[in-house]
Amino acid sequence: TNSIDELLNGDNTDPITDAWRADLADRIQELLDRKRSSGQGRERCLATYARILTAQYAEEDIRGKEAELVVAFLKSIKAETSEKETILAMKALAMTVVTSPSDLIYEAVCGPLKRVITDSASVPSKTTAVHCLGTCTFFGGASDDEILDNMAYLLEIVASDGSFIDAQDEADPVVAALEEWGSLSTLIDDLADESEEAAEYFVDQLASSDPGVQIAAGENIALLYEKSYRPLTDDDGGADFGEGDIISDPDEIPGVPKLIKNYDVYRRTDVLKDTLSDLASLNTRRLSKKEQKAIRTNFADILDSVEYPTHGPRYQNAISQDTGKRYGSRMTVRIHKEGVMKIDKWWKLHRLQALRRVLQSGFVRHYEANPIVFESLPIMITNDRKTSKEY
C-alpha cells in the first residue's frame, strides 16, 4: 500500500489543462455523499482531494462548499475508523482552510482536533492533529485570545514531554507542538507576558535526545529574542536605558531605525549562551554526521541571534566586495529559475516552514496564486543569483 505522503505527493494533475477541475468536482461530490462510501474509498477520495488542492489553487472550485466539506472531514476525524483516513481527513481540512479561509472554521474544528490530540491511540494521528490545529488557528479565524490559549495548550505538550496528551517521550508530537507554537507566536505582537515561561521550557528541551526537538526549541528561542526588541522612536528620547539595550544597524543604512529591548526573554542568558555554544560545536557518536551537521549549523545561527537579536538565520558578518556592506542573512528560497526569496528574520522562517508543512510540493504554486499564502509571507522576490545558502 502507498504511504500517505506518496498518496499526497503523487502528481496526477495536469497543470496545463483543466482536467483536474472535473476530477475535483467528482471527489467533492463523493466526499459529501458519505453514505455510499467505504473506508478505502474515502481514503482514496481524501488523498485525491488533498493532492489536487495542493497542486492547484482551487478557491473558486470549493467556494460555497467549505462548510459541507468541513462537516465531512470532521466525520472521518471523529470516527477514527482508520489511522490513514483520519490523517488524510486532517490534511484535507488543512488544505481547505489554506485555500479558502473562513472565520467560522476554527470554532468548528478546534474541539474535535484537540480530542484527537488528547485521546487518539495513534501517535501519527496526534502529530497531524497538532499541525492541523496550528493551521486552522492561523487561517481559520481564531481571535488573539484563542491563539494565546492554543499557544498555552501547545506549551503544555512541550513542558510535559508529551505526557499531557498521553504521548510520553514521543518526539514527533513534541516537535509538532514546538513548531506550531513558533508559527502562532508570529501573529502576536507583544509576547512580554509569555516569553519567560516559554523560554524556560524551550531551554529544557535543548537537553532532549532528539535533534528535531532540540532544533525546534532553539528556533523558538531565537524568535523570542528577535521579538523582544522594537524600533526606537522619538517618544523614547527621554527614557533611561541600560547598557546594551539599544542596538544599531552595523552598516548604518539610512532609514534603518535603532532597536530597543522591550523585555528580558530569559533570566540566565549567560547560561543559555554556553548551552547554545556547546550545541554549535557538538561532536558525538550518538548522532549521524547529517544530524550533527544540522545541529551545529542551526545552533550557530541561534547563538548568534541570542547575542545579536537583529541577526536572522544564516547571518554572515563577512563584507561583500560588491556592496562594501555585510552579507547579513543569506538564507534564500528559490522561486522557479530566477526568483529568490530572502529569509532574513526568524518570524519569516517560522511562517515559511509552517506553509511548507501544509503545502508541501505546492508551496510555489500557492505562493504565486493564493493571496492568503502571499499575505502571510509578503516578501519581495528578487533575481539576485549571488545570494547563497538556499533553504
Side-chain angles (χ1 to χ4, degrees):
T1 59
N2 292 333
S3 71
I4 290 171
D5 285 340
E6 287 172 338
L7 285 169
L8 290 173
N9 288 322
D11 190 3
N12 294 327
T13 59
D14 188 339
I16 299 174
T17 72
D18 281 346
W20 61 268
R21 294 189 185 278
D23 194 8
L24 178 59
D26 289 343
R27 299 294 75 75
I28 290 174
Q29 190 56 46
E30 189 177 343
L31 284 167
L32 300 182
D33 193 14
R34 184 183 176 93
K35 291 181 180 179
R36 300 182 183 181
S37 64
S38 65
Q40 287 187 335
R42 287 192 299 274
E43 289 173 8
R44 288 193 297 270
C45 185
L46 287 163
T48 301
Y49 174 90
R51 186 174 66 242
I52 294 173
L53 260 65
T54 299
Q56 309 291 342
Y57 176 51
E59 189 274 335
E60 290 184 5
D61 301 84
I62 67 171
R63 188 184 301 162
K65 306 180 185 75
E66 298 93 337
E68 292 177 279
L69 285 166
V70 168
V71 169
F73 300 147
L74 287 177
K75 287 179 180 177
S76 290
I77 292 168
K78 291 175 180 177
E80 279 203 85
T81 304
S82 72
E83 181 184 271
K84 181 178 283 189
E85 181 181 345
T86 305
I87 290 174
L88 287 169
M90 289 188 284
K91 289 182 179 290
L93 172 59
M95 279 308 310
T96 300
V97 72
V98 171
T99 299
S100 183
S102 165
D103 289 348
L104 302 176
I105 288 181
Y106 171 77
E107 187 176 345
V109 305
C110 178
L113 288 174
K114 284 187 174 179
R115 279 193 287 277
V116 174
I117 294 170
T118 304
D119 299 336
S120 177
S122 162
V123 172
S125 293
K126 288 177 182 286
T127 303
T128 304
V130 170
H131 284 309
C132 189
L133 177 65
T135 301
C136 291
T137 305
F138 197 104
F139 293 103
S143 65
D144 280 359
D145 285 343
E146 288 167 330
I147 292 168
L148 288 168
D149 285 346
N150 279 339
M151 288 170 61
Y153 175 78
L154 294 167
L155 202 59
E156 287 271 15
I157 297 173
V158 173
S160 67
D161 293 324
S163 63
F164 178 64
I165 57 169
D166 198 22
Q168 180 67 33
D169 295 328
E170 292 284 354
D172 287 349
V174 174
V175 171
L178 285 163
E179 290 173 339
E180 297 305 331
W181 190 98
S183 172
L184 293 179
S185 74
T186 67
L187 295 171
I188 304 299
D189 290 334
D190 187 351
L191 286 174
D193 294 335
E194 289 75 29
S195 283
E196 187 172 345
E197 181 185 23
E200 290 279 356
Y201 293 134
F202 299 154
V203 171
D204 287 345
Q205 291 300 332
L206 297 180
S208 171
S209 60
D210 185 87
V213 171
Q214 291 175 298
I215 290 171
E219 289 179 344
N220 282 353
I221 290 170
L223 178 66
L224 286 175
Y225 274 85
E226 178 178 272
K227 288 179 72 69
S228 69
Y229 282 74
R230 62 172 175 80
L232 188 68
T233 67
D234 293 340
D235 294 337
D236 298 313
D240 183 21
F241 302 115
E243 184 179 352
D245 284 352
I246 298 178
I247 300 176
S248 300
D249 174 56
D251 291 319
E252 298 182 350
I253 299 173
V256 176
K258 293 181 178 180
L259 297 179
I260 179 173
K261 183 165 67 173
N262 228 12
Y263 51 84
D264 288 320
V265 173
Y266 186 64
R267 294 182 182 181
R268 297 300 308 276
T269 297
D270 54 338
V271 176
L272 172 59
K273 288 179 182 178
D274 289 341
T275 302
L276 296 175
S277 180
D278 289 342
L279 287 166
S281 57
L282 183 70
N283 187 7
T284 176
R285 293 182 179 179
R286 180 177 61 84
L287 302 174
S288 68
K289 288 183 178 180
K290 183 178 180 181
E291 288 172 327
Q292 286 193 73
K293 182 179 179 182
I295 286 180
R296 289 173 188 162
T297 301
N298 282 281
F299 279 99
D301 288 351
I302 293 160
L303 172 61
D304 187 42
S305 294
V306 169
E307 292 177 329
Y308 306 100
T310 55
H311 292 186
R314 305 296 187 271
Y315 190 94
Q316 287 192 3
N317 279 304
I319 304 296
S320 167
Q321 292 182 347
D322 295 331
T323 66
K325 300 184 183 300
R326 289 169 175 80
Y327 281 109
S329 293
R330 302 192 72 188
M331 178 179 285
T332 62
V333 177
R334 188 161 295 283
I335 306 293
H336 296 312
K337 292 183 179 179
E338 299 294 332
V340 169
M341 177 194 299
K342 190 171 185 179
I343 306 298
D344 56 359
K345 296 291 183 183
W346 287 100
W347 74 263
K348 295 179 183 179
L349 179 60
H350 277 76
R351 289 197 180 183
L352 172 66
Q353 291 179 152
L355 289 169
R356 280 189 157 178
R357 281 193 296 271
V358 64
L359 296 171
Q360 299 181 27
S361 60
F363 170 74
V364 172
R365 171 64 176 155
H366 278 265
Y367 194 79
E368 292 178 325
N370 186 339
I372 301 302
V373 171
F374 179 81
E375 287 165 13
S376 70
L377 194 61
I379 299 175
M380 185 68 69
I381 306 297
T382 68
N383 60 358
D384 181 8
R385 294 163 100 36
K386 296 180 180 179
T387 311
S388 61
K389 306 289 184 185
E390 284 188 30
Y391 173 74

